[in-house]
Amino acid sequence: TGAVTDRSDLATGAVPGAKRFPQTSLITLAVAVATFVVLVGIEHFRPHSAAPLVAMGGAIAAWLATRHRPGALVIASGFTSVPDLAAKFYPFLPVRWLSRFDYDTRSYLRAVEAPVFIAHSPEDEIIPYQHGRALYDAANAPKQFLEISGGHNEGFIFVRESWVQALGEFLSRYVGGAAKPDLKRRAN
C-alpha cells in the first residue's frame, strides 16, 4: 500500500518516494512527533481513528498522515516542496541544489491513504496557487479541492462560509460521526 506503519520510521523520517528529513530539520520533526504524541494522549484519539488531521503546516501534516492514517487530511495554502517554493522567489539561484530542507508535500501525499481536502487561493501572494493544484493532483482519491479567495493569511483568519460549508460536508462524507471542530464559532 505504500503507507509506513512501523513506528521506528517516526524517528528517521523515512517516507516512500521522498527524501529523509535532513539533520537540520530535526526540530521540526520533533514538533511533529510531539504533536502526534499529544493527540494520541487525548482521550478517545487513537492512530487510524476517524479524527481529521488539520494542517499545522501542510508538509508536516502530510508526513504524519503517511505514518498513522487520520480520518482525513486537510491542507490549506500548502506548498509542493521547499525547493519548488524557493525557486519562485529566487529564480536566478540554484536553490534546488542549495536547499537544506525538502519537505516534499507532493511525495508525502502520494503515500497518504486517507481522504484529502486541499484549499488554496489564486490570490495567495506567498504560496502560488499552482502548488495547491499540484498537491491536489498528487493526492489519492477520495480528495477535494476548494478554491478560496483572499491572500495567504486572510483567507483563513476570516473564515468564509464557503470554506466552513465545504470542509464540513467533506468531513461528514468521509469521516462520518467523528468529532468535528466548531469552525463557525471561530468565524465570529
Side-chain angles (χ1 to χ4, degrees), residues 50-95:
L53 181 57
V54 179
M56 61 194 108
I60 300 303
W63 178 81
L64 278 173
T66 65
R67 269 113 186 103
H68 300 282
R69 187 182 192 271
L73 174 62
V74 179
I75 297 178
S77 300
F79 55 78
T80 55
S81 72
V82 168
D84 289 348
L85 187 58
K88 175 203 183 268
F89 290 108
Y90 305 103
F92 50 88
L93 294 176
V95 293

Side-chain angles (χ1 to χ4, degrees), residues 4-168:
V4 178
T5 56
D6 180 357
R7 291 177 192 267
S8 64
D9 287 332
L10 271 174
T12 66
V15 176
K19 295 179 183 177
R20 289 175 171 246
F21 273 95
Q23 187 73 14
T24 55
S25 65
L26 285 178
I27 292 173
T28 305
L29 178 59
V31 169
V33 172
T35 302
F36 179 78
V37 169
V38 167
L39 287 174
V40 170
I42 296 173
E43 186 176 356
H44 305 298
F45 177 88
R46 297 293 173 258
H48 308 289
S49 75
L53 181 57
V54 179
M56 61 194 108
I60 300 303
W63 178 81
L64 278 173
T66 65
R67 269 113 186 103
H68 300 282
R69 187 182 192 271
L73 174 62
V74 179
I75 297 178
S77 300
F79 55 78
T80 55
S81 72
V82 168
D84 289 348
L85 187 58
K88 175 203 183 268
F89 290 108
Y90 305 103
F92 50 88
L93 294 176
V95 293
R96 294 181 192 287
W97 182 73
L98 293 171
S99 178
R100 295 172 62 191
F101 300 96
D102 192 28
Y103 298 114
D104 192 347
T105 312
R106 187 178 5 212
S107 289
Y108 304 150
L109 280 174
R110 290 183 184 121
V112 171
E113 296 178 347
V116 176
F117 183 94
I118 297 183
H120 212 111
S121 170
E123 300 162 28
D124 191 321
E125 72 284 5
I126 298 173
I127 310 224
Y129 178 73
Q130 294 78 11
H131 283 241
R133 294 302 310 181
L135 293 179
Y136 174 78
D137 291 342
N140 297 308
K143 59 186 177 179
Q144 182 175 334
F145 186 89
L146 175 65
E147 182 177 303
I148 59 170
S149 60
H152 183 75
N153 294 312
E154 65 195 38
F156 302 102
I157 291 175
F158 307 107
V159 179
R160 293 184 170 88
E161 189 60 35
S162 62
W163 163 255
V164 172
Q165 181 179 349
L167 181 57

